[in-house]
Amino acid sequence: MMMPINTVGGPSAVEVIQQSFNPAIAVLTSPDVDVVCSKNRLTFVELLQPFSRLSVEGQIRDVNQALHSVTHFRLSVRDISWRPASSVLARRLLAEAVTNFPVNENKIAVIGGADPIEINPHTPWYDSWRETLWSCLEMTDHDFARHYLGTLLVVSSSHPNPMEQFQQLNDQLTQLMSSNGTADGPRWFNMLSLRYQVLVHDACDGDASNFRAEELLQTMRNVYGSHGCHLLVINSKPKKGSIIESGLPAPDPWLRFLPRKANKRTIWKKLDVSIEGESIVDGVEAGEMDFPVKVVEGTNPQLLGSLPKIPLMDALQEAMQEININSVLAPSASTSALSSLTRDDNISTQNNIGLSQRSAVEIKDDPLNAVLGTTTARFPLDEADGTGPILASSITSELHGGCLTTEDLDRIQGLVNEFCLKSLLPHMERQMRLLNESASSRKSTHRSLLSATKRWFGSNRPGGVQTPQTVAVSYHPESVQLQLRRLGDLAFLLGHYELAYHSYHSAKKDFEADQAWLHYAGAMEMAALSVFLQNANSRNVPFHYFDKALTTYLQTCKMPYWATRCAVLASECLKATNQYSDAALQLIRLTSEDADLRSAILLEQAALCFLRSAVKPNSSTDAAKPNMVPLIRKYAFHMILAGHRFGKSGQKRHASRAYQLALQVYKGHGWSLAEDHIHYTVGRQCLNRQQIEAACQALAALLKPDSMQTAAQQTAYLNEFIHVHQLLNKHRENETKTSCTLPILPLPVIDSNQIRVLVDTKEPTENMSPPLSEATHVTFNDDEVHHAKWANMEEKLVNSAFGTTHAIFRPTNLIFSHTTNNTVHPQMNCDDLVSFELPLTNPLRIPVQLCDIRLVWNFAGGDGNLTNLLTTIENPLVTTYILPRIVLNPSSSHKIILNVKPKAEGILTIEGLAFDLRPVNVEPSAAVVGLMSSVSGRVMFSLRGPRLNTTQQERHGKVYATDKRLSIQVGPRMPKLQVLFHSLPEFMFSGEIRPVTVELSNLCPNVPISNIIVASNDPLHVAFDLPRIESINIRHDQVALYRWDSSQKSTIMWLKGTENVGLTSLDLMFFSTNPAVKARRYRLLRHCSKIFVSSSLNLAAWVQRVPSRDDRTETLAVQLQVRNLRDADDTSLSGIEISQVAFLSNRWLLRPLQSTIPSGVLHPQESLIGVLLAIRGKENIEYCESATLKLPSHGRAVDFKQEPYRAFVREFQRTTPNTTLVVCWTATQASEDGFGTLIIEGQHYFGWNSHDIANSSLPDTNFKLSQQLVTYSMEYSTKVFHDFNKQRLCVIPVILYLHNCSQQEIDVHYSANFNTGKTPRVSQLYMPEAASPLLWIGRVQGNIYVRDAPEAVNLAIAVSRPGAYSLVQGLHIDGRILDENVRVPSPKIEYTLVVYDKEV
């Protein structure tokens, strides 16, 4: 929705036009009048200015005797010495008119929706400039509205002979009117100008003077008539002592009419002053400033020589000499002023006071223009010390109208009313009637043959190429054309616009026929205005008249000031009829390269017109017309042009304002280059105006992330930005004499939500030699920092140290980020490092360098709040670590880590990042001479938690949680552990057992330490030579806790390679407390290292129950297979030797003599098979290694009751508690230096329970254990030695026992050398060559009925080479119950035989 802009304030079009055309009245005074008025610090003209408007309604009769009301009638009262300003002075007055008005900061939103913009509701500087422009227009014969219609002859009653003085003034006026029309003198409407005599009486002169004044008034009425004179009594309130007390209510009615005055010490301070040699006064080039100081006649040269060189003063003095006031007005008293008036009551009046006694130079203007306080310049001497002139207007201690009362003001208004009603309006009525009669009688006969010839053969096109002879047409003052023009001007001033239009229209035809283009343009302009004023809301105004007049003024007459007036008035008419686009085009036509200030003013108004074109029409005739499209971009574009021209004219404040208004449109819409142009221009202009802080803000916007500038341009912007910031810092230091707060810089870009905080950071240590490593603790690169394993270990430690934990255990969080819960303060301890990971982004296309990077913090402790924002000196409570230097590459991001260390308890809040910003590889041409290209600044952090969506209010609005990750709670000191590992491996083999020495020390010796506990979450593969803290739930506890005595410095940690190959993690947690702290505070030290586990052996076993052949004791057969998993081409291990096989059980006893394990070295991809037999022992026998089948060849056997073997076996038996088969092995590995070898020891485990044995005896069958009918066992020599050189075949006897598993008699069928249809499996031996398949000899097939006792079958096997043989090859046994046809096969039970050659 849009607000109507034309309702915001400012005069309407009708008011503007009426204020531009007012009857001009000249004032000619005697010197004694100035004496009387000077008591009020006013001249007679200034005294009348607030009351120049007719306060009552007047009436006139037109040429047809019709009665018309006269309203809004106002006089333009000027001193008779007033002259239009010269071109140089006019430019300066126009510039001052714009400068003296401050920029209006009150803005209103005019366009709603997604992209609202704000504008200034009113532009008073434009009104001031417009009225000043009217006053600068020279008096010409084509515009009689500016000529004097009458003259006020003013004499004081204190004059010795007032009537004689009136006569002298009349004679002087007659002399001046005789030269009417000259270039230097004033101009009157005609020779029948009205003369009105005013007698000014000072009421302070006493009663006698009052009687004399009445007599003089009667005499004046007898001489000049009752309507030609007036008595004005003023100064009814005399001075009291030396102080003038105003008798008028505030505010002072003359303040808005008098020019502004400034103290002489601040002359021109309000004007824009540039930094580097630009002009002091806006709108004036530097070359125009060097005017010589000229002394007015009678002025003290020494006094003027001591004045500061003010260009406007020089121009005014020069202008006054140019118009030669002495020669024109002397000895008129109106050209002099009192210099003998003092602050006491002794007032001396002198009759003959010349110009030499004047203390001020005056240039008076129309009172309407004086309302703006810019077109009247008065420079009286400073009465305080008399050292020089000051700009005119009242100082705060100066009062106007101090001797006037409200009755005096009524008398002044009565003078104006009586003059207008009884003299001026009747005079204008008579003149209008006479002009109409004269014009009507001479209209038909005035055209000569020359005029007719010009109409037929001459050029009638204004705006064409004209010669000077053609343009300069001169008319007689009494010609019919000028009479019509006078008639139109009189009717226009009286508000009789219909008569005015007809007069202008008739005159313009004659001017066009005579090719008097200046008169023609003026008539066209006034005719259009007359039509408009008849009906301001009508669209029937001949706007083409304005176009023709404007073209004629510009191209033919070459009079830009008059063209400007025409364009301004035409635009006001167009705006009043809602034709804003056409109004903007009219104003744009007046822009030119040689008039910067004019172009700027008009371009700004054109921009506002484009914006106002979107306002909905208010008239009823246009109600059905749809809204015009808002020309927002046109508004912004022309506002940019206006800002550019404002800057060229020296109006820096208005230039900045225009650019900032346009920025609202371009900002955030992809107009990146346009935004950069605006920001850079505003920055430079603010810098020239010494607004360095605003310049920094503007230039900072150039270094935006989405900048589309080239690298060279961005380098220039960066250098300019650094240079301005250096100026700002220097300026602040000069003002405060102390270090100032670091400014906020736009680089680098930091995403605050991506900041990560690490509390309890490990202190940096020197590089350690490779055999020695330190506990890693927690780093930003730790991907498993929030893993559940750490929380589980911490909970176990806290539970062990303090007893039971809370119902909801909250583990310690060490890293805080946008993904963590940051609603509470992070906790840390004194003298601990806290680290911050900051993501820095350089969005520019050039590299930048950051130096002395540090964190900005605020610490709230017992001593109050401390901060390091203002100083870099080391603080005793917080240590700040500085990063010396970092280079951010173009369009890249980089993460840095910064640390701080608090040394006291309190709240540490990190607020931002401080650094020195420097460009990289700055060229000498781009660098600022004399200044180092760097600036100290900061970037502040702004955190916002996740959006809340719990309550209805949170869902409907945008509510975010509090993020406290940068506000850290610092607690008391705690001991700080340092853990060192000696030869911590990074590579291990599966099953390998390796000892590691662990050293522990307290880095804070002054802080006591107690309750040291070590936790490991993998007790199957990690064991410490420390007392273990047993948990209640031993079977399912996956965390092992060890208590470390604080007096103990080191211990042994045993590592065992995992069964799963690949990268494994070693996770340890060290717990400690401070006994001096009663709260449940503790410190944790984590260690996480990665170990790569490589394959070694694969252990497999088949466990089966077999019946005993003797006492039928339950026998357990275990077939063990060990395979070397190393690759064939792997040379890291020379070979793996099975050094020991242990059978650990509390239920079974091993039979070593009946068990067989081949010896030798297993090479890569080789296997061996062994058989172990065990019998059922007593229930719950003592746990021990029941037997060791094979001892190591290089030393003693492993004692599984010692650590760490006992710990590893116990952890293994937590899941398989009954029986464990342990295979110990050794291997040799080349050392890392290549010299010597290392012996590696390892263990592999295989365990089972009772139910596992039953399940393992039924492979590949669908029958349950109760359905099994027959099983078997064999008796033979497991080791056979034979000389194959003497006898090729080795025959080995084997007794096969068949056992009945049912309660009935069964029919058992056995068959040896049974062909399964598959190729016989080649045994995987430890030997290089594989053995051939064996051959069964004897009764290899038959049926046997078996009852309760087992049946024996005598067989033999024949082999042809040494090797390991499986006796189940080719053997098939099944059974059936009698009278049933279903045969149930017996499960395979593995029996092996090893045959050795005697030569081996």
Side-chain angles (χ1 to χ4, degrees):
M1 183 177 180
M2 191 157 20
M3 178 182 295
I5 305 176
N6 54 355
T7 63
V8 192
S12 63
V14 175
E15 292 174 346
V16 170
I17 298 174
Q18 290 178 348
Q19 291 175 5
S20 302
F21 300 93
N22 296 285
I25 304 299
V27 177
L28 185 58
T29 63
S30 62
D32 45 13
V33 174
D34 291 333
V35 175
V36 176
C37 296
S38 62
K39 293 182 179 181
N40 302 290
R41 297 184 182 272
L42 299 168
T43 64
F44 184 79
V45 174
E46 294 171 350
L47 186 68
L48 295 182
Q49 283 176 353
F51 313 96
S52 59
R53 180 186 294 273
L54 182 62
S55 61
V56 296
E57 181 178 332
Q59 291 182 347
I60 63 167
R61 292 187 181 274
D62 60 8
V63 295
N64 297 323
Q65 298 301 318
L67 192 63
H68 290 273
S69 299
V70 178
T71 57
H72 305 290
F73 192 76
R74 188 167 187 170
L75 303 180
S76 177
V77 183
R78 306 191 192 107
D79 192 276
I80 203 169
S81 63
W82 178 88
R83 299 293 184 272
S86 63
S87 59
V88 175
L89 182 59
R91 288 198 300 271
R92 298 190 180 183
L93 291 176
L94 289 171
E96 182 186 354
V98 177
T99 304
N100 284 341
F101 279 90
V103 176
N104 186 8
E105 299 297 338
N106 297 324
K107 300 176 181 179
I108 60 172
V110 296
I111 292 184
D115 302 315
I117 67 172
E118 295 180 347
I119 66 167
N120 295 107
H122 184 44
T123 53
W125 51 88
Y126 169 67
D127 299 336
S128 174
W129 174 85
R130 181 183 62 228
E131 300 300 335
T132 305
L133 177 65
W134 298 170
S135 67
C136 294
L137 296 176
E138 60 182 353
M139 292 185 177
T140 61
D141 291 336
H142 84 285
D143 185 8
F144 292 97
R146 297 177 54 82
H147 293 191
Y148 293 129
L149 282 170
T151 305
L152 296 180
L153 305 178
V154 188
V155 178
S156 174
S157 62
S158 61
H159 194 277
N161 192 350
M163 298 303 296
E164 183 180 354
Q165 184 65 33
F166 275 122
Q167 185 60 38
Q168 292 180 3
L169 294 179
N170 276 282
D171 295 342
Q172 185 177 345
L173 178 60
T174 302
Q175 181 182 358
L176 289 174
M177 293 179 63
S178 62
S179 60
N180 187 21
T182 60
D184 297 334
R187 295 172 182 262
W188 275 264
F189 193 80
N190 53 24
M191 298 306 295
L192 300 177
S193 174
L194 175 65
R195 301 188 184 192
Y196 194 81
Q197 286 74 23
V198 179
L199 181 65
V200 178
H201 175 65
D202 191 343
C204 298
D205 292 345
D207 296 337
S209 61
N210 294 339
F211 180 75
R212 182 173 180 269
E214 292 294 337
E215 291 182 348
L216 290 174
L217 176 61
Q218 188 62 36
T219 304
M220 293 170 58
R221 288 176 177 174
N222 296 333
V223 176
Y224 304 112
S226 60
H227 298 316
C229 57
H230 187 84
L231 174 62
L232 177 62
V233 181
I234 60 174
N235 296 342
S236 299
K237 184 176 182 179
K239 295 171 59 177
K240 295 182 179 181
S242 60
I243 301 176
I244 300 178
E245 296 181 358
S246 176
L248 303 177
D252 190 343
W254 288 274
L255 283 180
R256 63 190 185 98
F257 293 93
L258 297 177
R260 291 176 174 82
K261 180 187 294 185
N263 189 283
K264 63 181 179 179
R265 298 179 180 86
T266 58
I267 293 176
W268 300 110
K269 186 174 182 179
K270 290 185 179 179
L271 301 181
D272 294 334
V273 180
S274 62
I275 296 178
E276 300 174 356
E278 293 188 7
S279 60
I280 295 179
V281 184
D282 293 342
V284 184
E285 302 298 333
E288 298 177 355
M289 299 296 297
D290 299 329
F291 289 99
V293 178
K294 296 186 179 181
V295 180
V296 182
E297 181 180 355
T299 307
N300 189 352
Q302 296 180 355
L303 183 61
L304 291 178
S306 62
L307 301 179
K309 186 177 180 180
I310 306 175
L312 187 55
M313 278 293 302
D314 301 338
L316 289 173
Q317 294 172 0
E318 181 180 3
M320 293 302 296
Q321 286 193 353
E322 288 176 357
I323 62 179
N324 196 3
I325 295 180
N326 287 336
S327 61
V328 176
L329 302 180
S332 173
S334 62
T335 61
S336 61
L338 288 177
S339 61
S340 60
L341 183 62
T342 59
R343 291 190 176 93
D344 56 356
D345 294 333
N346 299 326
I347 303 175
S348 61
T349 59
Q350 299 181 5
N351 298 331
N352 299 318
I353 302 176
L355 185 61
S356 60
Q357 294 176 314
R358 292 186 59 88
S359 62
V361 180
E362 297 181 1
I363 295 182
K364 300 181 177 61
D365 194 7
D366 187 291
L368 292 180
N369 301 333
V371 173
L372 301 170
T374 58
T375 60
T376 303
R378 185 184 182 190
F379 302 93
L381 293 177
D382 187 3
E383 296 182 0
D385 53 10
T387 55
I390 59 177
L391 290 182
S393 187
S394 61
I395 304 179
T396 55
S397 61
E398 181 177 328
L399 299 176
H400 299 96
C403 297
L404 300 177
T405 62
T406 54
E407 291 79 5
D408 294 338
L409 300 185
D410 294 338
R411 295 188 188 104
I412 298 173
Q413 184 65 58
L415 167 64
V416 175
N417 291 344
E418 184 176 352
F419 170 70
C420 294
L421 295 176
K422 296 182 178 181
S423 295
L424 183 58
L425 289 179
H427 172 75
M428 296 177 66
E429 181 181 343
R430 290 191 300 270
Q431 292 294 321
M432 184 171 60
R433 190 178 300 110
L434 292 175
L435 290 173
N436 182 60
E437 294 174 357
S438 175
S440 298
S441 62
R442 301 173 57 184
K443 184 176 181 181
S444 59
T445 59
H446 78 281
R447 294 181 177 87
S448 62
L449 180 62
L450 179 61
S451 300
T453 306
K454 290 180 179 179
R455 284 197 304 270
W456 290 101
F457 300 101
S459 174
N460 291 333
R461 294 183 180 179
V465 179
Q466 305 293 335
T467 62
Q469 292 79 7
T470 308
V471 175
V473 176
S474 178
Y475 289 101
H476 190 274
E478 300 301 327
S479 62
V480 65
Q481 292 88 346
L482 296 186
Q483 297 284 27
L484 286 173
R485 174 62 197 235
R486 287 191 180 96
L487 178 60
D489 289 341
L490 273 178
F492 191 89
L493 293 175
L494 291 172
H496 194 348
Y497 300 116
E498 183 178 0
L499 175 61
Y501 169 73
H502 291 298
S503 301
Y504 292 136
H505 190 269
S506 299
K508 70 102 176 174
K509 294 181 179 179
D510 296 336
F511 294 144
E512 182 180 10
D514 298 337
Q515 297 186 7
W517 301 122
L518 179 59
H519 295 76
Y520 169 77
M524 294 281 286
E525 176 186 5
M526 298 305 294
L529 291 176
S530 300
V531 176
F532 172 76
L533 291 177
Q534 291 182 52
N535 187 2
N537 297 325
S538 175
R539 288 182 175 267
N540 297 324
V541 179
F543 289 107
H544 61 283
Y545 281 15
F546 286 119
D547 296 336
K548 292 181 180 179
L550 183 58
T551 303
T552 305
Y553 278 137
L554 283 178
Q555 299 181 6
T556 305
C557 303
K558 308 297 182 183
M559 302 182 73
Y561 279 3
W562 292 97
T564 304
R565 189 188 76 166
C566 178
V568 169
L569 296 178
S571 66
E572 294 294 336
C573 299
L574 289 168
K575 287 189 289 185
T577 56
N578 293 324
Q579 301 181 58
Y580 290 102
S581 298
D582 295 336
L585 296 178
Q586 289 282 9
L587 296 173
I588 294 173
R589 291 182 61 183
L590 265 296
T591 59
S592 60
E593 293 296 330
D594 57 346
D596 292 325
L597 182 59
R598 182 186 70 199
S599 300
I601 290 290
L602 298 182
L603 283 171
E604 180 184 10
Q605 295 303 312
L608 293 175
C609 289
F610 284 126
L611 190 61
R612 289 164 178 162
S613 62
V615 178
K616 184 177 180 179
N618 297 323
S619 61
S620 58
T621 57
D622 294 337
K625 182 178 178 180
N627 291 342
M628 301 175 65
V629 178
L631 305 177
I632 303 298
R633 286 183 288 185
K634 275 195 174 183
Y635 158 78
F637 176 72
H638 287 83
M639 195 62 74
I640 290 292
L641 298 179
H644 174 67
R645 301 306 290 271
F646 270 128
K648 291 181 64 178
S649 64
Q651 301 285 344
K652 306 300 181 183
R653 290 184 296 111
H654 290 285
S656 300
R657 175 188 55 81
Y659 277 112
Q660 290 170 359
L661 291 175
L663 182 60
Q664 301 176 97
V665 178
Y666 290 109
K667 188 176 182 180
H669 291 80
W671 299 81
S672 178
L673 298 180
E675 290 183 49
D676 293 346
H677 169 74
I678 296 173
H679 287 305
Y680 183 77
T681 305
V682 172
R684 293 299 301 172
Q685 291 173 351
C686 293
L687 181 62
N688 291 337
R689 293 162 48 202
Q690 289 296 327
Q691 296 180 354
I692 306 179
E693 187 171 357
C696 291
Q697 296 177 358
L699 294 177
L702 297 173
L703 306 177
K704 55 188 176 182
D706 55 347
S707 176
M708 299 177 61
Q709 299 289 347
T710 62
Q713 190 63 43
Q714 289 182 353
T715 302
Y717 285 162
L718 180 59
N719 292 331
E720 188 80 13
F721 174 77
I722 293 177
H723 167 55
V724 174
H725 262 289
Q726 289 175 337
L727 295 178
L728 178 61
N729 295 337
K730 185 178 180 180
H731 175 71
R732 289 178 174 175
E733 291 176 359
N734 294 336
E735 288 184 350
T736 61
K737 303 300 181 182
T738 57
S739 59
C740 302
T741 304
L742 294 176
I744 298 178
L745 303 182
L747 292 177
V749 177
I750 300 178
D751 187 356
S752 299
N753 286 330
Q754 297 300 322
I755 296 177
R756 295 201 295 170
V757 182
L758 172 59
V759 296
D760 193 13
T761 307
K762 186 182 68 174
E763 294 278 356
T765 57
E766 298 180 357
N767 294 330
M768 299 181 180
S769 56
L772 195 64
S773 60
E774 188 178 6
T776 59
H777 199 41
V778 179
T779 63
F780 286 111
N781 298 325
D782 192 351
D783 297 332
E784 298 181 351
V785 65
H786 299 296
H787 197 279
K789 61 183 179 182
W790 300 110
N792 186 28
M793 295 169 66
E794 182 181 355
E795 184 177 7
K796 298 295 183 182
L797 288 169
V798 173
N799 190 18
S800 175
F802 301 113
T804 59
T805 59
H806 296 287
I808 300 178
F809 176 74
R810 289 189 175 91
T812 302
N813 186 16
L814 298 180
I815 293 184
F816 296 85
S817 63
H818 66 284
T819 60
T820 58
N821 183 11
N822 302 322
T823 56
V824 295
H825 297 280
Q827 303 289 327
M828 66 173 301
N829 305 311
C830 293
D831 290 330
D832 286 354
L833 275 181
V834 55
S835 301
F836 299 85
E837 184 185 69
L838 309 177
L840 307 183
T841 302
N842 176 20
L844 303 183
R845 300 180 182 180
I846 58 174
V848 295
Q849 182 179 181
L850 305 181
C851 300
D852 297 335
I853 311 171
R854 59 199 179 276
L855 291 172
V856 177
W857 48 261
N858 181 281
F859 185 79
D863 298 335
N865 292 345
L866 299 176
T867 182
N868 66 337
L869 183 59
L870 299 178
T871 178
T872 58
I873 302 177
E874 185 67 24
N875 193 286
L877 297 182
V878 180
T879 302
T880 306
Y881 292 82
I882 299 177
L883 183 63
R885 177 178 177 270
I886 186 175
V887 176
L888 298 179
N889 294 325
S891 302
S892 64
S893 299
H894 189 84
K895 292 183 179 180
I896 63 172
I897 298 177
L898 296 176
N899 304 323
V900 293
K901 179 188 289 186
K903 300 181 180 180
E905 298 184 35
I907 298 292
L908 177 65
T909 303
I910 306 300
E911 298 178 343
L913 182 70
F915 51 88
D916 293 342
L917 178 63
R918 299 178 183 176
V920 179
N921 299 328
V922 179
E923 299 180 359
S925 59
V928 180
V929 179
L931 294 174
M932 184 179 63
S933 296
S934 66
V935 59
S936 298
R938 58 190 168 112
V939 175
M940 304 307 290
F941 301 149
S942 177
L943 293 180
R944 186 176 66 180
R947 184 175 177 180
L948 302 179
N949 197 27
T950 305
T951 64
Q952 184 177 3
Q953 182 180 2
E954 293 173 351
R955 288 191 292 268
H956 290 174
K958 291 185 178 180
V959 183
Y960 296 89
T962 304
D963 196 323
K964 299 181 179 179
R965 80 181 95 155
L966 297 182
S967 184
I968 305 171
Q969 178 74 44
V970 182
R973 290 177 175 83
M974 295 293 293
K976 187 178 299 184
L977 292 179
Q978 183 185 34
V979 178
L980 301 178
F981 301 96
H982 292 264
S983 301
L984 184 65
E986 297 180 357
F987 178 87
M988 292 182 67
F989 292 98
S990 176
E992 177 187 357
I993 298 177
R994 182 177 299 187
V996 177
T997 303
V998 182
E999 293 184 2
L1000 187 144
S1001 60
N1002 184 10
L1003 296 179
C1004 299
N1006 298 328
V1007 181
I1009 187 172
S1010 64
N1011 218 1
I1012 305 176
I1013 305 176
V1014 184
S1016 170
N1017 64 344
D1018 191 9
L1020 281 173
H1021 305 96
V1022 181
F1024 282 86
D1025 191 10
L1026 294 172
R1028 182 169 176 177
I1029 302 175
E1030 297 294 339
S1031 177
I1032 299 176
N1033 189 5
I1034 302 177
R1035 188 174 186 86
H1036 298 93
D1037 192 4
Q1038 299 298 323
V1039 178
L1041 303 180
Y1042 302 90
R1043 187 173 300 279
W1044 189 313
D1045 191 355
S1046 58
S1047 61
Q1048 185 177 354
K1049 301 301 180 183
S1050 63
T1051 188
I1052 300 298
M1053 176 181 65
W1054 298 88
L1055 300 179
K1056 180 176 180 292
T1058 60
E1059 289 74 18
N1060 298 325
V1061 298
L1063 198 64
T1064 61
S1065 177
L1066 173 62
D1067 301 324
L1068 303 174
M1069 182 175 285
F1070 297 84
F1071 177 94
S1072 62
T1073 60
N1074 184 358
V1077 179
K1078 296 182 180 180
R1080 297 180 59 173
R1081 296 184 67 91
Y1082 53 90
R1083 184 192 291 277
L1084 299 175
L1085 176 64
R1086 298 183 185 181
H1087 174 76
C1088 179
S1089 60
K1090 301 299 181 180
I1091 301 176
F1092 185 82
V1093 178
S1094 183
S1095 60
S1096 57
L1097 294 180
N1098 180 34
L1099 188 64
W1102 292 268
V1103 184
Q1104 296 175 338
R1105 289 187 180 91
V1106 295
S1108 174
R1109 64 179 180 176
D1110 297 331
D1111 53 3
R1112 301 186 63 181
T1113 303
E1114 185 177 359
T1115 304
L1116 193 66
V1118 179
Q1119 181 179 351
L1120 177 66
Q1121 180 180 1
V1122 182
R1123 183 181 181 184
N1124 187 348
L1125 298 179
R1126 305 299 297 174
D1127 294 334
D1129 55 350
D1130 184 18
T1131 59
S1132 59
L1133 289 179
S1134 58
I1136 300 177
E1137 180 182 1
I1138 305 299
S1139 60
Q1140 185 176 347
V1141 177
F1143 197 84
L1144 309 179
S1145 177
N1146 57 1
R1147 291 174 181 255
W1148 301 92
L1149 297 177
L1150 183 66
R1151 288 186 175 181
L1153 298 179
Q1154 298 179 0
S1155 301
T1156 303
I1157 294 295
S1159 61
V1161 177
L1162 279 178
H1163 296 284
Q1165 296 299 319
E1166 290 186 349
S1167 301
L1168 66 82
I1169 299 175
V1171 177
L1172 294 94
L1173 292 178
I1175 61 174
R1176 171 74 73 176
K1178 296 181 180 181
E1179 292 294 333
N1180 298 325
I1181 62 175
E1182 182 182 359
Y1183 164 76
C1184 64
E1185 61 228 61
S1186 58
T1188 298
L1189 185 63
K1190 186 174 182 180
L1191 295 177
S1193 59
H1194 59 273
R1196 63 181 179 84
V1198 175
D1199 185 1
F1200 290 96
K1201 294 182 180 181
Q1202 301 296 325
E1203 299 295 344
Y1205 312 110
R1206 181 173 179 270
F1208 288 143
V1209 171
R1210 289 185 61 184
E1211 288 298 327
F1212 180 77
Q1213 289 185 340
R1214 286 179 184 271
T1215 56
T1216 56
N1218 296 142
T1219 305
T1220 302
L1221 183 63
V1222 181
V1223 176
C1224 303
W1225 54 271
T1226 61
T1228 58
Q1229 181 185 19
S1231 59
E1232 295 181 358
D1233 55 5
F1235 300 96
T1237 58
L1238 300 176
I1239 298 178
I1240 300 174
E1241 297 183 1
Q1243 295 180 358
H1244 279 76
Y1245 304 141
F1246 184 86
W1248 62 87
N1249 291 319
S1250 299
H1251 60 84
D1252 296 329
I1253 298 175
N1255 293 337
S1256 63
S1257 63
L1258 289 172
D1260 302 329
T1261 180
N1262 296 326
F1263 294 94
K1264 298 181 180 180
L1265 184 61
S1266 60
Q1267 295 175 328
Q1268 184 177 350
L1269 299 179
V1270 62
T1271 183
Y1272 63 92
S1273 62
M1274 295 182 186
E1275 183 179 348
Y1276 59 93
S1277 297
T1278 58
K1279 298 180 181 179
V1280 178
F1281 295 90
H1282 181 75
D1283 189 357
F1284 288 94
N1285 293 328
K1286 294 182 178 181
Q1287 189 175 0
R1288 298 293 298 172
L1289 289 178
C1290 176
V1291 179
I1292 304 168
V1294 177
I1295 301 176
L1296 175 63
Y1297 294 97
L1298 301 176
H1299 303 273
N1300 186 357
C1301 297
S1302 66
Q1303 302 296 328
Q1304 304 178 21
E1305 182 180 5
I1306 59 175
D1307 178 13
V1308 178
H1309 174 79
Y1310 71 92
S1311 174
N1313 293 332
F1314 177 72
N1315 185 8
T1316 60
K1318 300 180 181 179
T1319 304
R1321 184 184 61 177
V1322 179
S1323 300
Q1324 299 295 328
L1325 305 176
Y1326 69 94
M1327 294 182 171
E1329 65 277 2
S1332 299
L1334 56 85
L1335 179 64
W1336 288 93
I1337 301 175
R1339 187 183 175 185
V1340 296
Q1341 184 176 359
N1343 288 59
I1344 299 178
Y1345 293 96
V1346 182
R1347 294 182 182 272
D1348 295 335
E1351 298 291 337
V1353 179
N1354 294 318
L1355 298 172
I1357 58 174
V1359 297
S1360 61
R1361 63 178 63 180
Y1365 297 90
S1366 175
L1367 301 185
V1368 297
Q1369 292 188 31
L1371 182 63
H1372 177 74
I1373 299 174
D1374 57 26
R1376 68 177 182 87
I1377 300 176
L1378 298 179
D1379 301 332
E1380 292 185 7
N1381 297 326
V1382 179
R1383 306 193 70 89
V1384 179
S1386 173
K1388 296 287 185 179
I1389 301 177
E1390 188 68 37
Y1391 289 93
T1392 58
L1393 170 67
V1394 180
V1395 180
Y1396 298 92
D1397 195 342
K1398 287 186 176 181
E1399 295 183 351
V1400 179

